[in-house]
Amino acid sequence: MKIESVEKTAKVIAALLKEKFPDVHFDVEAEYPNGEDQVVVRYTDGPSPVLVHYYIDKFQTMHPLDGDLVFLTLDPSILGCSGTSLVYCDWRLSPAVESMVRKAYEAEFHEPYQYNGHGFFDITSYYRSRPQLWPAKYQRLYEEQKKVPKEEPPVLKEKDDKIVSYEDFKTAVLHYDVNHHVW
């Protein structure tokens, strides 16, 4: 995927998130770790990632399908951009919210939080799974999202409507490179 398209995807995602959550500051960046492209959405407090992913998952081309990871060719005419391989939320809790969440955990389980306590990997995973702790506006949004199915990504269909698996895509790219490489 071309760098320009990932940069544009990051801008489209940033604009969408600003529209959906105007009171939250999102830092949206295109990144290229290990030669892969991704868009990382960083923010503190605000909505749980489940609420954010409801809107932004349609911009990623890597999706699980029947237990396999598949590469989708997104329709840029609908999205307004070409998308990116992955969209990742790097979500943090401020010390004040984390303190409130720890108190809720202690009230529920009658003990201080410990790493992986009661199956929660960290205190944010506890908060993420307890919508009743979220601000009322996010609780309402969560209930609304549950009623409406998540929008499927707009996929460009090939002639036979086949979705290409990521492994097949990588193999085809490598085969093309070997056959068309100018030495």
Side-chain angles (χ1 to χ4, degrees):
M1 194 166 290
K2 292 184 179 178
I3 287 177
E4 304 86 47
S5 67
V6 179
E7 300 288 341
K8 183 175 181 185
T9 299
K11 289 178 182 175
V12 169
I13 289 172
L16 174 66
L17 292 176
K18 186 174 184 172
E19 174 190 325
K20 298 294 181 184
F21 305 101
D23 57 335
V24 179
H25 172 72
F26 293 96
D27 183 22
V28 182
E29 295 180 7
E31 295 184 357
Y32 309 92
N34 303 321
E36 298 293 326
D37 61 273
Q38 67 182 18
V39 171
V40 179
V41 179
R42 292 180 178 86
Y43 63 105
T44 301
D45 296 337
S48 172
V50 69
L51 300 176
V52 175
H53 275 288
Y54 180 86
Y55 299 107
I56 64 176
D57 278 353
K58 64 184 176 185
F59 293 97
Q60 66 183 14
T61 59
M62 301 296 286
H63 289 270
L65 182 68
D66 299 328
D68 294 323
L69 200 56
V70 295
F71 179 85
L72 303 177
T73 305
L74 302 180
D75 187 344
S77 65
I78 296 173
L79 285 178
C81 60
S82 299
T84 183
S85 293
L86 295 171
V87 181
Y88 171 72
C89 282
D90 182 5
W91 176 60
R92 309 248 187 253
L93 295 178
S94 67
V97 172
E98 186 173 327
S99 174
M100 180 270 303
V101 174
R102 285 184 184 278
K103 288 176 184 171
Y105 178 93
E106 291 169 5
E108 182 175 346
F109 295 109
H110 307 291
E111 64 184 28
Y113 173 78
Q114 297 175 18
Y115 175 78
N116 215 9
H118 295 278
F120 296 105
F121 178 69
D122 57 16
I123 202 69
T124 58
S125 66
Y126 171 77
Y127 183 66
R128 191 179 297 129
S129 68
R130 298 296 192 271
Q132 65 271 24
L133 298 177
W134 303 351
K137 61 184 171 185
Y138 298 138
Q139 291 179 28
R140 284 190 301 274
L141 180 59
Y142 180 66
E143 291 304 317
E144 289 170 19
Q145 287 181 355
K146 287 191 324 188
K147 293 176 188 172
V148 180
K150 188 191 294 192
E151 186 178 329
E152 292 297 317
V155 179
L156 281 177
K157 300 290 185 177
E158 296 179 11
K159 289 180 187 172
D160 58 359
D161 282 347
K162 181 181 172 191
I163 295 176
V164 180
S165 77
Y166 182 62
E167 287 304 317
D168 290 345
F169 177 77
K170 274 184 20 183
T171 303
V173 169
L174 290 172
H175 181 72
Y176 179 86
D177 283 349
V178 167
N179 289 337
H180 294 89
H181 193 307
V182 179
W183 298 97

